[in-house]
Amino acid sequence: MKRPTKYPVLLVTLLVILAVGFAAVGCGEEAAEETTTTAAQPLETTTTAAAVTTTAAPAETTTTAAALEDEVLTLYLAGSLSVPFEQLEGLYEDDNTNVDVLLESGGSAAMISKIITEKDAGENPPDIMASADYALIPGRMYEGDYADWTIVFARNTMVLCYADDAPFSADIVSGSRAWYDVLCNEDVKWGHSDPDADPCGYRSMMVFQLAQKYYYDEAATFGNTPDENANGLYDACITGTDEERGRSNQGNEVVRTKSVDLVALLEAGELDYAFEYRSVAVQHGLNYIELDDAVNLAQVGQMPGSDMTYADFYGTASVKLKTESGEYKPTTGAAVVYGITIPVGAPNADDAAQFIQLLLSDEGKQVMEIDNGQPLLDPIKCDNVDLLPAELADLVEAL
C-alpha cells in the first residue's frame, strides 16, 4: 500500500506565495480587479486571488494524484507467502510509483475457489494467483478457462513447531521420544490447518500417513525396526471418515483455516505443537523440529537403502479433498512445490508479468531464500511455456 505524499501541501503553499506576490506588484485598483476577475471565473466567485489559488490548487493536485494512484495490482496468495511477498510489494512499488500492490492471503485452495466464484459472478479475477501447491492451479483452474499456465518456482519443507514451554519437547529434540509418540500418547494440544482450504492441512495429514508406513507398516523395507507407537498412527491421531478427518477440533487436535493462523496460538501458549512450513517457522522465529526426509515432503531422488524414490513413497499418501462441486476427490502426496500464474482475464496482466519477473530475479531470490528461508527452484519451470507472456518465457524451462 502507498503512503500519502506531502507534495500537494508544498504545491499549495508555493502557489499561495506566488499569488500574493503578483497581487503586491499590481499597479493600481484596475490591475487588482483584473487579477481577481481572472482568477475567479472558473469558480464563479469573486474571492481574492490568493484565496482562489488556494482553493483551486488542491483540486488540480488531487486529480494528478488520482491519475498516479489508479493502477492497482491485486495478488491472491498462500498465507505462507505473506511475509516475503510484502517485501516484494515494497520493492515493486519503489520502482513502479504509479502502481499500488494489494495482497490478499489465505489457504491456497480457498483463494482459488474465491477466484472461480468471483469470475463466475462476472467479476474480474486477481492479477496473480500464487499457490503453496502448484498442482492446484492446473487441477482446478484450467478447466473452465480460469488459467492456462503455471510457473513452479519455490519449494518448502514440513516441520513440527512447538511452543517455548511445550511439554515433552525436550524429549523430542533430544531424540529420546518420537514426535508422533508425544502427540498421540500425551495430553498435548497440537494443530494443523483445514485440508479443504490449505495445502499445509492435507500435507500435515499425509505426514501422519507416511510416518505410520515408514516407522511401522513398512519399516523393514527401509531397514527400520518397527515402532509400536506408529502402529495405527493415522486413525489414532486424526479420527473420522475420510470426509471428516482433519476438518474440526477433535480432542487435542486443533484445526484452523490456514497454517499461519496457528502461529499466534503457539506464541500465546494456547497450542503446544503445530505443523507448519519451515519458511513460516523461520519468518516468525518459532521453535521447530525437523522431520525425517521420508515424511517431510521435501525430497526428490532415490530413498537411501530402498529401490523407491521419494516421489513414489510420498505418492502412497492420499487425502480426500472437497471440490467446488461439493464432491470429495483424492489428492496424493508429493514434494512441496509452489506455483504462480496470471489468471485469464487479469485486468493488469502486464504489471503482473513485471511482478513475477521481480520474484524470479536475483533480487527476488534474495528476498525468498536469504531473508525468508524459502528456496526457489533451480531451474524455474513452466508447464505451458508457449502461453507465457514474452517477458517471462526466457526465465523458465519446460516442465
Side-chain angles (χ1 to χ4, degrees):
M1 296 294 291
K2 302 286 187 183
R3 290 185 293 273
T5 177
K6 297 180 180 179
Y7 293 160
V9 175
L10 295 174
L11 180 59
V12 169
T13 304
L14 179 60
L15 290 174
V16 171
I17 292 171
L18 290 174
V20 171
F22 287 142
V25 299
C27 55
E29 181 178 347
E30 181 180 351
E33 288 177 354
E34 288 176 358
T35 301
T36 301
T37 303
T38 302
Q41 284 175 350
L43 299 179
E44 298 181 357
T45 182
T46 55
T47 56
T48 65
V52 171
T53 305
T54 302
T55 303
E60 294 175 359
T61 303
T62 302
T63 302
T64 303
L68 293 174
E69 296 288 350
D70 62 357
E71 213 167 317
V72 177
L73 183 66
T74 303
L75 281 70
Y76 286 3
L77 58 143
S80 56
L81 290 172
S82 295
V83 173
F85 271 52
E86 284 172 3
Q87 292 178 237
L88 292 170
E89 171 191 2
L91 293 174
Y92 187 85
E93 289 181 343
D94 286 345
D95 291 337
N96 299 272
T97 55
N98 64 321
V99 180
D100 189 9
V101 178
L102 297 180
L103 306 179
E104 183 172 344
S105 64
S108 298
M111 300 310 294
I112 288 175
S113 293
K114 183 176 181 181
I115 292 173
I116 292 171
T117 299
E118 290 176 343
K119 191 168 183 184
D120 286 350
E123 301 177 29
N124 282 332
D127 300 300
I128 288 175
M129 173 64 215
S131 172
D133 185 348
Y134 83 92
L136 289 175
I137 297 175
R140 297 193 179 183
M141 297 184 71
Y142 286 8
E143 184 178 354
D145 198 31
Y146 303 101
D148 53 18
W149 55 262
T150 307
I151 291 176
V152 292
F153 71 97
R155 54 193 175 88
N156 223 323
T157 303
M158 293 295 297
V159 298
L160 181 63
C161 296
Y162 61 94
D164 290 338
D165 58 351
F168 309 105
S169 59
D171 295 337
I172 302 175
V173 172
S174 69
S176 62
R177 293 186 70 175
W179 60 266
Y180 50 85
D181 172 19
V182 170
L183 296 194
C184 286
N185 296 321
E186 301 293 351
D187 186 19
V188 295
K189 292 285 186 183
W190 61 274
H192 62 83
S193 54
D194 182 346
D196 290 326
D198 185 17
C200 196
Y202 56 77
R203 287 169 172 153
S204 301
M205 296 167 67
M206 290 173 179
V207 166
F208 278 94
Q209 292 181 25
L210 295 172
Q212 178 176 323
K213 294 173 186 289
Y214 188 69
Y215 299 115
Y216 187 80
D217 293 348
E218 302 171 20
T221 303
F222 302 103
N224 298 328
T225 301
D227 184 353
E228 194 61 38
N229 289 307
N231 184 9
L233 178 65
Y234 186 54
D235 288 336
C237 290
I238 305 179
T239 61
T241 66
D242 286 344
E243 291 77 16
E244 296 169 341
R245 293 179 193 268
R247 271 73 179 186
S248 61
N249 298 347
Q250 299 287 338
N252 286 331
E253 178 190 8
V254 176
V255 180
R256 290 295 183 269
T257 303
K258 56 184 184 292
S259 61
V260 293
D261 291 342
L262 302 168
V263 172
L265 298 180
L266 281 172
E267 293 175 336
E270 297 176 21
L271 196 63
D272 299 312
Y273 297 90
F275 287 95
E276 294 283 358
Y277 297 122
R278 183 196 285 157
S279 66
V280 173
V282 170
Q283 292 157 18
H284 293 274
L286 301 175
N287 307 310
Y288 66 94
I289 297 158
E290 294 279 10
L291 305 176
D292 283 340
D293 288 345
V295 303
N296 66 12
L297 296 174
Q299 307 305 317
V300 296
Q302 200 76 21
M303 295 183 71
S306 171
D307 59 358
M308 293 185 72
T309 64
Y310 283 106
D312 290 337
F313 186 61
Y314 293 162
T316 65
S318 178
V319 174
K320 284 188 174 181
L321 302 178
K322 191 175 184 179
T323 64
E324 280 72 34
S325 66
E327 297 179 275
Y328 285 84
K329 295 184 178 180
T331 292
T332 56
V336 179
V337 178
Y338 286 60
I340 193 166
T341 192
I342 300 174
V344 172
N348 296 296
D350 290 342
D351 291 329
Q354 290 182 24
F355 189 95
I356 295 176
Q357 279 184 299
L358 171 63
L359 168 66
L360 304 183
S361 69
D362 289 341
E363 197 171 16
K365 187 174 183 179
Q366 169 74 32
V367 169
M368 294 292 292
E369 295 189 357
I370 309 304
D371 298 344
N372 292 286
Q374 187 161 5
L376 294 183
L377 290 180
D378 186 14
I380 307 293
K381 295 193 174 185
C382 178
D383 56 354
N384 291 317
V385 179
D386 56 324
L387 299 179
L388 281 176
E391 56 265 54
L392 299 180
D394 291 339
L395 303 178
V396 304
E397 293 184 4
L399 187 62

